Amino acid sequence: MKNLQLEVRLFAYLREKFPETLGGTPLFLEIAEGSTVNDLLIQLGLDQIDIPLIVMVNGVREFDEKVLKDKDRVGIFPPIGGG
Amino acid sequence: MKILRVNMSNLTIATENVPEKYYLLGGRALTSRIIYDEVEATCHPLGENNKLAIAPGLLAGTPAPSSGRLSVGTKSPLTGTIKESNAGGIAAQKLARIGVKAVVIEGKADGWYILKLTGNGGELIPAGDLVGKGNYDAGDILRAEFGEKTAVMTIGQAGEARMTAASIAVADMEGRPVRHCGRGGTGAVMGSKGLKAIVIDDTGAEGVEIKDKEKFKEAAQAFSKMLLANPTCGQGLPTYGTAVLVNILNESGALPTRNFQEGRFIGAEKISGEFMYDTIVKRGGKPTHACHPGCVMRCSQVYNDADGNYLTAGFEYETIWAFGADCEVDDLDQIAMLDRLCDDIGVDTIEMGVTFGVAMEGGLLPFGDGEGMIRIMKEEVAKATPLGRILGQGAAVTGQVFGVTRVPVVKKQSIPAYDPRAVKGVAVTYATTPMGADHTAGYSVATNILKVGGFVDPLKKEGQVELSRNLQIATSVLDSMGLCLFVAFTVLDEAKAFPAIVDMLTAQYGVEFDVTETLGVNNLKVERAYNKRAGFTAADDRLPEFFYKEPINTHNVLFDITNEELDSTMAPFDMEEEVAEAAATKE
């Protein structure tokens, strides 16, 4: 089975868990073909976090069961607000 | 409580008892009601027959958390509609503590005055050398004269010149003019009256009466805990402020860029909340700062320049987007300087940023020219030159002057920082709120993008009308209580939050009433009825043509909610005049 290449961006205080992303640098990750958003969160260790996360795939809000594709751009946000 | 009526034509101030029909109104519901009752809807907004109504919310001056918003209402010189614009800062709480339910400014003075308010009433004092001063200097002069702890509201040069983008500045706890009733040109109305400043001194004031103190305290503490436990209100906003939205709107492909030509900005990270946080910490500023005492969310901040000296505060997402992505500027220091200049000159940052985006498309400056905007703000807008006056009228007039067809306004008020095609729920609000394009009037972004109050797909039309309508009702309620809109991030997800707010009101006023009906539904009826009298029709509740014709590049979608669907948003609030009158006066 081949792996998918993903471009993952973390935002707000999620960056503190991944110091290499401070300043906005994306993570370039590999994940097994057929993986879902939830699989990605498990791989990142974000599945057990006690806050609801917002996940965007290619600019569209997606949920845990969404199957990822090669070269997807994924953004992960903690709950934030403003206006 | 009393109502102070300030007649600028004959320089008299009358103290009036609060009519029974106003007893359970406050903030926006009260200012809108006063304008509805007293101001001819077809009057010239800058003439002697318009009025400026200023009211703290129903909970102002109490220990209710984040309850210090101040409402200013008028007939807007920008939109021609009824207008309520609210701000933080320390004025609302002081007004409530000196027993003032509302101040009504009417008539028109020869010359310029300062209105001084204390627990014993008001006094009009000639403004003298204050005229011509920006908000920073004006505030410093006034506090030196009237006391460092007084609350100061001022207009800058833009309000004096009656520019329709002019704001009213409300000083924060440090005395900085960084909180503004920004939208709709309320500063121009204040200027048209000859009123340069309002100073509120609550020394020795009795404070706000609370009928059942124990019950109030219990509800206020419970509400405060809920706000702090909410990850958005208790963690996201205090750390990053509202600018945390730059990245998520960019990631969503909904960050209007280059005068709404595109949905993503390549420089977004450099103007993001995360970048701002790092910059503030590095330079010894304050990432977390409250705009009024008792706010637990503390989303404001103090932003220093590269040398570590104070530059600006209350540096908001909307401002950063308007001068940033919308004008393709990716230098946060330049945007901070523009924020400071807007605060000082006294203009709405959203209106000015969008205006520059339109002017750039019209060839006034190249996109990305932050220094050019700074120069024009200092040399043209602050000095009210002919070019400065054109820009100071906002995006609609500027677009007309420069022959631009892509002019993002509704009812002549600039559309803020969420593209209508890619966040359709907030677009319904832009089109249908009685205020002209205003994201805060029904912040569907919460549910479309931020996972608050469920999820309604931002790219589809389904569910947007109901979402916007319900949020418009809820917002009217919060605006009338003087609560910061950001408590909605908790209220929409925590079932016990709204009952706690109602408990506070009941404990304070000693009466139970239908809060949603009185402050929400009825107020929207009043505002809609006023606009109808002013000549507004369904044809005004539309977005500009280009959102229906030019797909946004990030999602290849148009704004596709039909006119009939838009019209159904506010239909429940449209009634015959006499019925509206009866509904609005119902206790």
Side-chain angles (χ1 to χ4, degrees):
Chain A
M1 222 165 57
K2 74 179 176 93
N3 284 343
L4 309 174
Q5 311 282 330
L6 300 179
E7 183 180 331
V8 179
R9 287 177 167 75
L10 297 168
F11 297 98
Y13 47 84
L14 296 181
R15 288 181 181 174
E16 290 161 16
K17 297 179 189 296
F18 302 88
E20 65 271 37
T21 68
L22 287 171
T25 312
L27 294 172
F28 292 94
L29 298 177
E30 290 201 355
I31 195 164
E33 200 172 7
S35 294
T36 62
V37 163
N38 192 49
D39 295 328
L40 173 64
L41 295 178
I42 291 170
Q43 181 168 326
L44 290 168
L46 292 172
D47 57 315
Q48 296 298 322
I49 198 164
D50 63 349
I51 48 171
L53 297 174
I54 300 171
V55 179
M56 304 243 177
V57 181
N58 305 319
V60 176
R61 172 77 179 285
E62 298 292 358
F63 298 86
D64 285 1
E65 61 280 9
K66 166 77 178 176
V67 177
L68 295 164
K69 298 189 308 295
D70 196 33
K71 305 276 188 282
D72 273 347
R73 168 173 169 157
V74 183
I76 308 176
F77 297 83
I80 51 172
Chain B
M1 300 289 275
K2 58 196 176 244
I3 290 176
L4 293 181
R5 191 171 293 278
V6 181
N7 186 323
M8 299 300 297
S9 297
N10 59 23
L11 303 178
T12 56
I13 301 174
T15 303
E16 299 174 358
N17 292 326
V18 177
E20 202 181 330
K21 65 178 180 178
Y22 293 169
Y23 180 65
L24 292 174
L25 301 181
R28 174 174 165 188
L30 182 55
T31 61
S32 288
R33 182 69 195 172
I34 291 170
I35 298 305
Y36 175 90
D37 284 343
E38 300 188 14
V39 177
E40 185 70 46
T42 51
C43 75
H44 194 292
L46 300 177
E48 63 180 348
N49 293 324
N50 197 7
K51 300 187 184 187
L52 196 64
I54 303 170
L58 284 170
L59 291 168
T62 72
S66 308
S67 62
R69 302 290 296 186
L70 179 76
S71 288
V72 169
T74 194
K75 175 179 163 76
S76 166
L78 179 70
T79 63
T81 65
I82 199 163
K83 172 61 62 181
E84 184 263 1
S85 183
N86 67 66
I90 61 174
Q93 292 168 321
K94 287 190 191 286
L95 276 176
R97 277 199 290 268
I98 61 171
V100 172
K101 181 120 174 134
V103 183
V104 182
I105 316 283
E106 52 192 38
K108 200 168 190 153
D110 291 324
W112 290 97
Y113 289 86
I114 299 161
L115 173 64
K116 188 190 170 193
L117 301 173
T118 68
N120 299 321
E123 185 187 353
L124 284 163
I125 301 159
D129 292 346
L130 212 58
V131 181
K133 295 273 191 298
N135 287 316
Y136 273 93
D137 283 349
D140 288 346
I141 292 166
L142 289 164
R143 275 182 303 276
E145 183 165 346
F146 296 103
E148 290 300 321
K149 289 190 172 163
T150 53
V152 168
M153 296 168 63
T154 48
I155 56 169
Q157 297 92 340
E160 289 183 27
R162 298 178 298 286
M163 295 180 198
T164 53
S167 62
I168 299 174
V170 184
D172 69 0
M173 291 193 280
E174 285 76 30
R176 290 165 175 152
V178 293
R179 317 309 311 187
H180 288 249
C181 296
R183 309 230 64 195
T186 58
V189 177
M190 187 159 150
S192 75
K193 305 277 169 221
L195 189 61
K196 173 70 178 174
I198 301 172
V199 176
I200 307 154
D201 185 352
D202 65 346
T203 311
E206 283 177 19
V208 173
E209 184 196 13
I210 297 175
K211 303 266 191 212
D212 186 340
K213 289 201 175 79
E214 269 313 300
K215 193 182 164 200
F216 189 95
K217 194 174 157 191
E218 205 177 297
Q221 284 177 346
F223 185 54
S224 186
K225 272 188 194 150
M226 289 177 225
L227 292 175
L228 288 166
N230 178 277
T232 300
C233 297
Q235 194 172 355
L237 281 168
T239 307
Y240 299 104
T242 57
V244 73
L245 293 180
V246 171
N247 274 328
I248 194 164
L249 267 302
N250 192 54
E251 201 59 26
S252 308
L255 186 74
T257 299
R258 199 178 168 86
N259 189 30
F260 287 75
Q261 292 180 36
E262 295 162 16
R264 262 194 192 148
F265 179 42
I266 198 161
E269 184 64 35
K270 288 169 73 183
I271 61 168
S272 68
E274 291 89 335
F275 184 86
M276 180 163 93
Y277 173 84
D278 292 342
T279 306
I280 288 173
V281 170
K282 209 172 3 179
R283 294 175 179 177
K286 283 187 195 163
T288 306
H289 177 249
C291 83
H292 65 268
C295 181
V296 295
M297 295 178 285
R298 297 161 296 151
C299 71
S300 180
Q301 62 298 106
V302 176
Y303 186 95
N304 291 343
D305 65 15
D307 299 324
N309 298 315
Y310 171 82
L311 179 55
T312 194
F315 193 22
E316 306 292 346
Y317 166 66
E318 305 293 336
T319 306
I320 293 169
W321 158 77
F323 289 109
D326 198 47
C327 295
E328 291 197 306
V329 170
D330 65 1
D331 184 322
L332 196 57
D333 284 335
Q334 288 178 346
I335 303 171
M337 177 55 83
L338 287 159
D339 182 55
R340 183 192 170 103
L341 289 167
C342 286
D343 285 347
D344 196 36
I345 298 163
V347 279
D348 177 23
T349 56
I350 297 175
E351 196 61 48
M352 283 318 295
V354 173
T355 297
F356 272 112
V358 168
M360 284 173 171
E361 185 156 334
L364 178 67
L365 290 171
F367 279 100
D369 189 358
E371 287 303 330
M373 287 194 282
I374 291 170
R375 185 188 71 245
I376 288 175
M377 287 298 293
K378 287 180 179 169
E379 298 300 322
E380 309 282 351
V381 180
K383 294 178 182 169
T385 64
L387 174 61
R389 284 178 179 272
I390 289 168
L391 298 171
Q393 301 310 314
V397 165
T398 299
Q400 203 171 359
V401 170
F402 285 86
V404 177
T405 53
R406 193 182 288 102
V407 182
V409 297
V410 177
K411 301 179 183 75
K412 296 187 181 161
Q413 181 165 287
S414 287
I415 293 179
Y418 317 86
D419 193 283
R421 293 157 290 196
V423 194
K424 294 189 201 290
V426 79
V428 173
T429 301
Y430 295 156
T432 62
T433 165
M435 297 295 147
D438 177 352
H439 61 298
T440 66
Y443 192 65
S444 310
V445 181
T447 308
N448 282 170
I449 304 285
L450 303 173
K451 210 175 180 174
V452 175
F455 175 62
V456 174
D457 189 332
L459 300 172
K460 301 207 169 86
K461 59 157 75 174
E462 287 74 26
Q464 308 295 3
V465 163
E466 294 73 21
L467 176 64
S468 171
R469 182 194 303 128
N470 290 334
L471 288 172
Q472 290 196 52
I473 297 168
T475 303
S476 175
V477 172
L478 296 178
D479 287 345
S480 303
M481 289 189 283
L483 286 170
C484 173
L485 180 58
F486 296 162
V487 306
F489 294 118
T490 297
V491 172
L492 290 170
D493 277 339
E494 169 53 67
K496 292 176 184 161
F498 194 69
I501 295 172
V502 174
D503 285 348
M504 288 192 283
L505 275 179
T506 310
Q508 183 183 347
Y509 290 89
V511 270
E512 286 185 34
F513 64 105
D514 187 334
V515 172
T516 305
E517 197 65 18
T518 308
L519 304 177
V521 173
N522 282 345
N523 180 53
L524 291 171
K525 286 176 181 171
V526 164
E527 291 175 352
R528 287 282 290 185
Y530 188 87
N531 286 355
K532 195 174 163 192
R533 282 188 199 164
F536 285 82
T537 67
D540 297 296
D541 290 352
R542 303 288 179 260
L543 294 182
E545 183 188 28
F546 73 94
F547 292 116
Y548 298 88
K549 305 284 183 198
E550 296 175 15
I552 188 161
N553 65 333
T554 41
H555 296 288
N556 197 30
V557 292
L558 294 166
F559 183 72
D560 55 357
I561 295 178
T562 64
N563 292 344
E564 291 69 29
E565 288 164 330
L566 282 178
D567 293 343
S568 70
T569 313
M570 304 305 268
F573 312 118
D574 283 336
M575 306 198 304
E576 294 304 317
E577 282 271 306
E578 311 77 64
V579 186
E581 182 82 20
T585 46
K586 198 176 69 180
E587 290 303 322

